Amino acid sequence: MTNILLTGSSRGIGAAIAADLNATPDISFVGHGTASGIPADFADPAGPHSLWDAALKKLGTIDVLINNAGVFEANPIDLDDAAWVAGWERTMRINLTASAELCRLAIRHWQERGVGGRIVNVASRAAYRGDSPAHWHYAASKAGMVAMTKSIARGYAGGGILAFAVCPGFTMTGMAEDYLASRGGDKLLADIPLGRVADPEEVANAVTYLALNAPPSMTGAVIDVNGASYVR
């Protein structure tokens, strides 16, 4: 039995990952979110540790951590100084710092048990190509997540601890639908050679593969799911 902690499982990509895991034999997982799983507010510094403790109590051990929770909130530069900094710090806290805390707890858990484990971080295409003028903070948080993933992969592979990232482009979640509508959907779609945004299930398939089946030599890999709208 493989025990998995999945953050942000209530909607969008997270809900698709949860459905994928539910359909996979010999998997036991706990989700995080207000609509499904264990509630925890990642804007609260106590949130990640509270979630980890609750998940560990429920599962006994954790073999795989999937960091999917995140926010995508506009933070235009013409806000007053305090509001702009608060918006920046909120996104960093939820998207990057909370994920880093959970990664640290997972690594220490595996080290104490003398076993390996897997981390899959759901980042974004924005980590590489940036985002809109109102979303510096979002792009920076996801670039940090990719750099963190690579650092973990390089630092802990000798102990069997593997780390991977997935970088979706636009994905047809409620968050992406709102953004597409606000930015002119046809213009944005024209930038995607595939001609459409990704389905959440496509991203979930990549995440599940990395969490369960990717060979150890793939540790440190970043998988793009963006319809060739950004290629590296």
Side-chain angles (χ1 to χ4, degrees):
M1 184 69 70
T2 301
N3 295 336
I4 299 176
L5 170 58
L6 164 66
T7 72
S9 62
S10 294
R11 61 179 184 153
I13 291 171
I17 297 169
D20 224 16
L21 295 175
N22 272 325
T24 304
D26 300 321
I27 294 296
S28 178
F29 87 95
V30 293
H32 147 250
T34 54
S36 67
I38 302 167
D41 181 4
F42 282 2
D44 178 356
H49 214 305
S50 173
L51 172 64
W52 178 266
D53 289 345
L56 201 56
K57 183 177 180 180
K58 183 171 183 179
L59 293 172
T61 60
I62 294 172
D63 304 303
V64 178
L65 167 65
I66 301 172
N67 279 313
N68 167 73
V71 292
F72 182 78
E73 299 170 343
N75 198 40
I77 63 170
D78 56 359
L79 293 175
D80 67 66
D81 292 351
W84 189 86
V85 171
W88 178 280
E89 291 182 344
R90 170 178 159 81
T91 287
M92 288 296 178
R93 170 81 243 174
I94 294 171
N95 288 7
L96 181 57
T97 305
S99 296
E101 290 182 73
L102 288 169
C103 286
R104 174 179 174 267
L105 290 167
I107 291 167
R108 289 175 61 84
H109 173 63
W110 297 325
Q111 287 177 330
E112 288 168 5
R113 295 177 58 221
V115 300
R118 292 188 179 221
I119 293 168
V120 183
N121 290 319
V122 180
S124 169
R125 174 187 73 170
Y128 291 102
R129 62 170 268 172
D131 212 288
S132 81
H135 293 90
W136 297 5
H137 55 335
Y138 178 79
S141 72
K142 295 302 186 178
M145 181 175 268
V146 170
M148 177 177 70
T149 303
K150 292 176 179 290
S151 299
I152 291 169
R154 289 175 58 81
Y156 303 99
I161 296 171
L162 313 178
F164 312 92
V166 176
C167 283
F170 285 113
T171 305
M172 194 48 69
T173 66
M175 188 165 56
E177 287 171 346
D178 293 343
Y179 188 73
L180 282 166
S182 70
R183 306 293 291 184
D186 290 344
K187 182 178 178 181
L188 285 178
L189 289 176
D191 190 41
I192 305 174
L194 187 62
R196 64 171 177 82
V197 299
D199 292 325
E201 292 75 17
E202 292 180 295
V203 182
N205 288 345
V207 170
T208 299
Y209 169 69
L210 294 173
L212 300 175
N213 297 314
S217 288
M218 277 187 66
T219 191
V222 180
I223 303 298
D224 297 317
V225 187
N226 64 45
S229 60
Y230 186 76
V231 293
R232 292 181 284 122

